[in-house]
Amino acid sequence: MKKTFLARRNALLSPSGLTAGTVVLLVVLACGAVRFVAPNVFLTVFAPVLRTGNALALRTESFVSGFQNAQMLAAANERLTSENAALSLQNRMLTEQVSDFSALAGPGDLPSAGVVAGVLARPPESPYDTLIISRGTNGGVTLGMEAFGAGGTPLGIVTETSASFARVTLFSTSGRHSSGWVGKNRVPVTLVGQGAGAFTATIPKAANTSVGDGVFLPGPGALLIGTVTALESDPSSPAVTLLIHPALNPFSIPWVTLADTGAAFVQTLTASSTKP
């Protein structure tokens, strides 16, 4: 009986395995020989590929960083635009304040005396014929100070103060009496407040007052407070009633100058002298 010998399988000795293993072995030996004989040959062969990869990497990085730089530039531009708008607004506010101060003191000069205060509330926000101003006793405001508008126009008297604010009662308060003059000849009159800056006054017809004449209050001196806009009279009466329009609209006064002119003191003396 014949013994059957089974051929041992060897992956390296199989026809297909022998071919693949031989090829791999030959490639490894060839690479080793080439590296041994010419060490830089692989670097020389693959250098273009490496340079191309580096260039692509740099371009990709530059492209991505370009987006980042654009975002940074956009953010910086937005911030600068916002700051420029704020500075422009501040410059406009300062320009308006200089203009207001110039008008407050009269032509060619800025306020050099008295206390300058902004008007926080005016009619109709405040009680009628009353201004609420932004300075009080901490800012040098005292009771009895006289308030002046643009060009030195007399407005009223400080009648109430707190640490940071004060109340100015206008000369035009309804029923309030103030002594002044009218016309170029400075005819003495007693002005009666009618509210909202308006006054009336009664004078003899012989004074020859006409529409357009100026009306003045002491300030010191004669300070324009209004203008005669109409004359009302009864043919049988020797007197004429003057209707007086204010020189400044109390509804649109932004700033006042406060000074102690003695107006409140004089008013007190006048009131005490009329008592029986």
Side-chain angles (χ1 to χ4, degrees), residues 122-260:
R122 59 192 61 77
E125 290 87 1
S126 63
Y128 226 63
D129 286 273
T130 298
L131 303 179
I132 306 301
I133 60 175
S134 61
R135 284 186 180 270
T137 53
N138 289 343
V141 178
T142 59
L143 290 175
M145 277 187 160
E146 188 170 356
F148 300 90
T153 303
L155 298 174
I157 302 293
V158 176
T159 54
E160 186 177 343
T161 60
S162 68
S164 303
F165 310 101
R167 180 196 298 264
V168 175
T169 301
L170 303 182
F171 290 120
S172 61
T173 301
S174 182
R176 185 186 182 104
H177 290 68
S178 304
S179 298
W181 305 275
V182 63
K184 294 180 180 180
N185 296 325
R186 302 294 189 265
V187 178
V189 292
T190 297
L191 304 178
V192 181
Q194 300 298 313
F199 299 90
T200 60
T202 301
I203 63 172
K205 289 182 179 179
N208 294 324
T209 300
S210 59
V211 172
D213 283 349
V215 180
F216 306 88
L217 283 184
L223 301 178
L224 182 70
I225 194 173
T227 304
V228 177
T229 57
L231 304 174
E232 294 182 350
S233 65
D234 186 334
S236 62
S237 172
V240 61
T241 300
L242 310 180
L243 303 184
I244 302 166
H245 187 77
L248 287 180
N249 182 1
F251 295 89
S252 59
I253 297 173
W255 301 88
V256 295
T257 300
L258 305 169
D260 188 0

